[in-house]
Amino acid sequence: MRRWCLLILIYLYSLTCAGQNTIGLPQIINYSKSDFKAGTQTWDIRQDSRGMMYFANNEGMLTYDGSHWNVYPLPNKTIVRALAMDSNDRVYAGGQDEIGYFERAANGVLTYTSLKKLLPKSQNRFADIWRIELYGESVFFQASDRLMEYRNNSIKVYPTTSEWMYLRKAGNKLYAQDKANGLLQLERHEWLPLNIKQPLNNVLISGIMEMGQDSLLIATQTDGLFLVGPDGHLQKQDSRLPAGVNLSVCTRINANELVAATTAEGCLVMDFAGRIVQKISRTEGLQNNNVLSVFLDRDNNLWAGLNNGIGFIAYNAAIKYINPSKTNEVSGYSARIHKGQLYLATSDGAYYVPLSGSGDLSFSKGDFVRMPGSQHEVWRFDEVNGHLLMGQHIGCFEVADHVSRPLAYGPGTWLFKPMTAVYPAAEVLAGTYAGVRMLGYEHGRFTDRGMVQGLQESVRFLEIDNNNVIWASHPYRGVYQLQLSADRKTLTAHLFTDSAGLPSALNNFVFKVKNRVVFGTAKGVYEFDAAMGRFVPSAFLQPVFGTMDIRYLNEDAAGNLWFCSGKKIGVVDFHRSSGGKPFTITYIPELDGKILLGFENIYPYNKENIFIGSEKGMIHLNYEKYTGNQQQVRIMMGQVRALGKSDSLIFGGYFNRTATGYVQEEQEVPALPKSYNSFHFEYSSPAYGLQNNIEYSYQLEGYDGRWSAWSSRPEKDYTNLPDGKYVFKVKARDNLGHESAELRYQFSVKPAWYKTVWAYLLYSLLLAGVLYLLYRWQERNLAAQQRKFDEEQARLKYIHQLELEKNEKEIIELQNEKLANEIRFKNNALADASLHLVEKGDALVKVKDILASVYKKNDNNPEIRNALLLLNDVEKNNANWEQFASHFDEINNNFLKKLKDRYPVLTNTDLKLCAYLQLKLSSKEIAQLMAISVRGVEIKRYRLRKKLNLPTEQQMTDFFHTI
């Protein structure tokens, strides 16, 4: 009886295990109709050699390069049900009443070619194409009423008397299911029944996989899995699938597993015995549970074509997500592995799950159990002295056998720190909401020794240095240096802030790494210099982090440092060097923004199991797999559009495939008119699920002087490019430093019409015409100028003649003037002579007077009388005053006349004096002419000034100039 009970329990346990998922679930990215802007249903999925994804959709064929979606409808706008990809990346497509293929055409545009025209008119109408298989040099299209073989540009039709239900290539053989005749195999262009002892004509096959060389694994939609042995024996696998499950499509994903698309259970990953390894459904994050197609891409990640949308499942990723509660979304604060159990501290209490196996523990299967009595928030699990301690909102607890035992109720507990590194530690400090609690340990048990008095602040960060100095940090206060009293009941606290060298009193966090207590700040990592009594940048960590904002630090067993900076997570790997430094900093961009800010926690159990606190449960990182992923970074050029008055697609994204790679053919280098001088480039890396890890750099050769800075933006625009030849180059890199080869796209912008050869020829002709017209104009101009010159010469000759006549007149006038001057000169000379005669007359008068006196004295001497007579004759010959005055006025512009008219009181003597003064004669000369003394001349001058009313300061000669 016991044996039967044990067997029943084992059976029930196996059933339970069969329905359990692994604790770590892969990342799922859902694409809705609003993302790819096409129909709701996706029927088939393929991938080409570059990594581009293709989807058979209700509205045509979709392509996706990781960043951009494109839709290619069939000519009759029908649903695309099936796709197939050959070795040359030709995509065969089948829809309702349509078969054909998409391939690269001119300018890299994907173009559809219909094969329906190869069918005779009597057979060119058919229903949906459900599957397409490549077999040898043939392509087979499966419709319900026929199979069509396309080969050598012709189509052979295989009709059926019932219904073709399935078509599949397995290994190097092609199988088809006929509703009436069961499973058939193509041999020498004929469909022959497969050697199976039990017919499969009453089941719906959903997958055929080769098992070795002689066996087949057949999956059915509703009847489970069957194994066909070499002898044709059909054996049903004991798969224990959920009741009512419908495996619509099944495909192999590795050597031991297959994945099934179901109509109501999502995706089921199973082993070949039919046992469920992983279930991925709406509960795990898929958009809906009705899966129409599944596909394993070249990076071993799953794609699911859904009844409404498309799902990407990072099945092979190094990052998994752990959600301990199936009914509640909880935040994960801390994780700890203890005695083969994984414990999680969450916002909804504590959870645990048994771990199985080794290596990547995220593949352990089981369901989390919520620990009884942990209905409050649980902040932390710490292993101390081989015991598991739990910090909870209502106090501190010890966990044993999945049961929590209270050590102390009271303020919530953040963490536990043993006072010594010696095992076992007799004293343990617990940081709480309101200070520090002391726990004792003896005889294998923890006891509460009560709160340590002296500090009432929340102590969430606590470390003990090698000198037994306790350090606590408060994000909004600063850093406390704590010293316990000898009786361990009180402590003294000294608060350090920015005045002690910290960048700020805010956001300081204490950690212990490399056996040293360090402090993460907003501007790097600091240490306390006891000699200076100040905080200084850490000598060994400052070269690593610089002034980076450090909010969390934790050292793993290998000596690597895990850190949080802002919303980013990274690790400093001291076993890998890069950039000339003895370490490598690797960021995990997939986790950006997913950690719990303010409650950062990283538990590096080993290199394959890193547990990270998250807003939604816990994140599991297989660091060894993450860094060991040598996946080549690839880059694909998407569409290139020229922008002008209207958008023009000049490149469709498909380069010519050569032995050295994908290149642009010389004849496909576009030369665009000047009106299209703005361009939009699309590019992407087919790193599906890792787009946050990818950055791009580009350069437009002929325009950009250097490569651009790395950016996550998968497109670039250029506007108003000048005419010339250009090469657009782009490359990609991931967060591990792997860089792709550069991709090149050449094009040119033609010069404007006024810069073309024909325009320059026209310019030459116009220039020649203008030069000829200028020559003719110059000839006419010279002739006109010659006429004008002749006329001007005649005019100048005439003017010259007039000038000659004028000169002659001027000469005559000059001659006349000369004669006048000569006359004037003679008159002046005459006046001078007259003056001399006056002088002589005066002298003769004097002589006469003398002789008369002598004559009287000499008794009328006749000789003297004769002399007197002679002198009388001479005196008669002298000119009188009137004659002198007339000549003087002629010479001096009627000076005497004007003076007499203005001053009638002047006598002739006065006028004489004025005339002599005008002639600038000296007083002595005037005295001689007037036969008076010099004194008499001065008196006459004085009297003359009175008559002329001249002021004393005015010179008489100046006055005469005014007359």
Side-chain angles (χ1 to χ4, degrees), residues 131 142 165-168 175-178 182-184 194 196 199-209 216-224 226 228 234 246-250:
R131 288 170 189 86
Q142 180 229 327
M165 302 174 65
Y166 190 74
L167 177 70
R168 183 72 173 183
Y175 302 94
Q177 183 186 19
D178 183 88
L183 195 60
L184 308 177
L194 194 66
I196 300 179
L200 289 173
N201 55 349
N202 293 320
V203 297
L204 298 175
I205 296 177
S206 59
I208 300 177
M209 288 145 279
L216 289 177
L217 181 67
I218 299 176
T220 66
Q221 292 191 16
T222 58
D223 295 282
F226 294 87
V228 180
L234 187 67
N246 187 326
L247 309 181
S248 57
V249 177
C250 295

Side-chain angles (χ1 to χ4, degrees), residues 895-914:
F895 173 77
L896 295 176
K897 183 178 180 182
K898 292 178 181 178
L899 191 62
K900 181 65 174 177
D901 293 339
R902 187 178 297 181
Y903 299 97
V905 295
L906 296 179
T907 64
N908 287 336
T909 302
D910 295 330
L911 294 175
K912 276 185 181 182
L913 180 59
C914 290

Side-chain angles (χ1 to χ4, degrees), residues 310-330:
I310 298 172
F312 170 81
I313 304 164
Y315 189 72
N316 193 41
I319 297 175
K320 301 290 178 63
Y321 297 86
I322 301 174
N323 190 355
S325 175
K326 294 183 178 180
T327 60
N328 187 21
E329 187 175 279
V330 300

Side-chain angles (χ1 to χ4, degrees), residues 134-136 168-175 185-187 210 212-214 216:
L134 306 177
Y135 184 69
R168 183 72 173 183
K169 178 184 175 183
N172 58 356
K173 298 177 181 178
L174 184 64
Y175 302 94
Q185 179 181 340
L186 183 67
E187 293 184 6
E210 189 177 42
Q213 295 182 351
D214 302 319
L216 289 177

Side-chain angles (χ1 to χ4, degrees), residues 317 723 740 890 893:
D723 58 89
S740 73
E890 183 180 356
N893 195 21

Side-chain angles (χ1 to χ4, degrees), residues 779-879:
E779 278 190 334
R780 291 193 297 270
N781 193 34
L782 287 174
Q785 288 182 356
Q786 186 64 42
R787 290 194 299 272
K788 289 183 179 179
F789 177 76
D790 294 340
E791 292 174 356
E792 183 67 17
Q793 288 296 108
R795 189 180 68 83
L796 292 176
K797 186 175 182 181
Y798 174 74
I799 293 174
H800 180 66
Q801 185 65 34
L802 292 177
E803 287 181 349
L804 289 177
E805 294 176 357
K806 180 180 178 182
N807 289 338
E808 289 178 356
K809 290 180 180 180
E810 289 179 350
I811 290 172
I812 294 171
E813 289 178 355
L814 289 174
Q815 289 176 349
N816 292 335
E817 185 177 353
K818 182 178 179 182
L819 292 175
N821 289 333
E822 289 178 355
I823 293 171
R824 189 177 296 107
F825 175 76
K826 291 178 180 180
N827 289 334
N828 290 338
L830 180 60
D832 291 340
S834 299
L835 291 174
H836 286 295
L837 288 176
V838 171
E839 292 177 355
K840 290 179 181 181
D842 292 340
L844 288 177
V845 171
K846 290 179 180 180
V847 172
K848 180 181 174 183
D849 290 338
I850 293 172
L851 288 176
S853 175
V854 172
Y855 177 73
K856 289 179 179 182
K857 289 179 179 181
N858 290 307
D859 296 326
N860 298 321
N861 187 334
E863 292 179 358
I864 295 172
R865 185 177 63 82
N866 290 336
L868 288 171
L869 292 174
L870 180 62
L871 288 174
N872 287 333
D873 293 336
V874 172
E875 185 177 6
K876 291 178 181 179
N877 293 329
N878 289 335

Side-chain angles (χ1 to χ4, degrees), residues 340-630:
Q341 307 280 325
L342 174 62
Y343 292 87
L344 299 183
T346 76
S347 58
D348 188 35
Y351 290 81
Y352 66 92
V353 66
L355 298 175
S356 58
S358 58
D360 191 334
L361 298 176
S362 67
F363 288 102
S364 296
K365 296 187 68 173
D367 292 324
F368 280 91
V369 178
R370 190 166 181 267
M371 188 181 298
S374 63
Q375 65 272 20
H376 300 281
E377 284 184 307
V378 176
W379 302 112
R380 179 96 168 204
F381 283 108
D382 282 308
E383 188 172 347
V384 180
N385 297 338
H387 296 257
L388 188 64
L389 300 182
M390 180 176 70
Q392 196 174 355
H393 178 66
I394 59 174
C396 54
F397 297 77
E398 180 182 359
V399 177
D401 297 327
H402 309 148
V403 177
S404 61
R405 181 178 68 87
L407 298 177
Y409 287 104
T413 302
W414 295 114
L415 79 169
F416 303 90
K417 291 291 178 181
M419 287 289 293
T420 66
V422 179
Y423 178 86
E427 296 175 320
V428 179
L429 294 180
T432 74
Y433 293 179
V436 177
R437 180 183 295 276
M438 178 68 74
L439 299 178
Y441 182 79
E442 54 185 354
H443 307 301
R445 291 182 61 85
F446 286 98
T447 58
D448 177 33
R449 295 183 181 177
M451 297 294 294
V452 182
Q453 303 300 314
L455 182 67
Q456 299 298 317
E457 295 288 354
S458 175
V459 180
R460 190 154 59 92
F461 301 91
L462 184 69
E463 293 294 348
I464 304 172
D465 66 17
N466 297 331
N467 298 319
N468 291 325
V469 177
I470 304 170
W471 295 92
S473 62
H474 192 290
Y476 312 116
R477 300 281 190 274
V479 174
Y480 289 95
Q481 186 184 55
L482 308 177
Q483 189 68 49
L484 281 171
S485 63
D487 60 3
R488 298 294 200 260
K489 293 184 178 180
T490 61
L491 56 80
T492 56
H494 180 71
L495 178 63
F496 294 97
T497 61
D498 51 348
S499 62
L502 291 170
S504 170
L506 304 176
N507 295 322
N508 300 297
F509 309 93
V510 60
F511 310 101
K512 192 170 186 178
V513 297
K514 304 294 183 183
N515 203 31
R516 305 171 73 161
V517 172
V518 298
F519 302 86
T521 74
K523 293 186 178 180
V525 180
Y526 280 67
E527 290 187 66
F528 184 73
D529 189 323
M532 298 174 58
R534 293 179 60 81
F535 291 87
V536 295
S538 173
F540 79 101
L541 289 182
Q542 195 274 338
V544 177
F545 294 110
T547 58
M548 190 185 302
D549 178 15
I550 300 298
R551 303 181 63 88
Y552 182 84
L553 275 175
N554 196 5
E555 184 178 5
D556 64 17
N560 301 321
L561 295 182
W562 293 84
F563 66 91
C564 295
S565 177
K567 296 182 179 181
K568 295 183 177 182
I569 291 179
V571 58
V572 183
D573 193 332
F574 291 98
H575 302 282
R576 294 190 300 139
S577 59
S578 66
K581 297 180 179 180
F583 59 85
T584 297
I585 296 181
T586 301
Y587 289 96
I588 318 297
E590 296 96 326
L591 305 183
D592 286 356
K594 295 182 179 180
I595 58 177
L596 269 173
L597 289 179
F599 294 91
E600 299 86 352
N601 186 277
I602 301 175
Y603 173 45
Y605 179 68
N606 57 32
K607 59 185 178 181
E608 293 179 283
N609 299 280
I610 312 295
F611 297 89
I612 302 167
S614 169
E615 294 177 346
K616 298 178 180 180
M618 193 68 59
I619 298 172
H620 178 274
L621 169 66
N622 187 329
Y623 179 64
E624 183 178 46
K625 184 176 183 179
Y626 190 87
T627 56
N629 186 0
Q630 298 300 320

Side-chain angles (χ1 to χ4, degrees), residues 36-38 50 52-64 68-80 83 91 93 101-103 108-112 637-639 641 649 651-654 682:
F36 49 76
K37 295 178 175 58
R50 301 178 304 157
M52 178 79 79
M53 299 300 302
Y54 299 81
F55 304 89
N57 186 265
N58 282 3
E59 294 186 9
M61 185 182 72
L62 307 182
T63 64
Y64 182 53
H68 310 96
W69 294 90
N70 289 294
V71 183
Y72 297 90
L74 294 182
N76 58 2
K77 308 298 182 182
T78 188
I79 297 173
V80 178
L83 297 174
V91 188
Y101 58 85
F102 291 90
E103 69 176 352
V109 178
L110 200 62
T111 305
Y112 180 76
M637 181 71 73
Q639 294 184 349
R641 293 186 177 274
L649 179 65
F651 179 67
Y654 291 83
E682 294 179 355

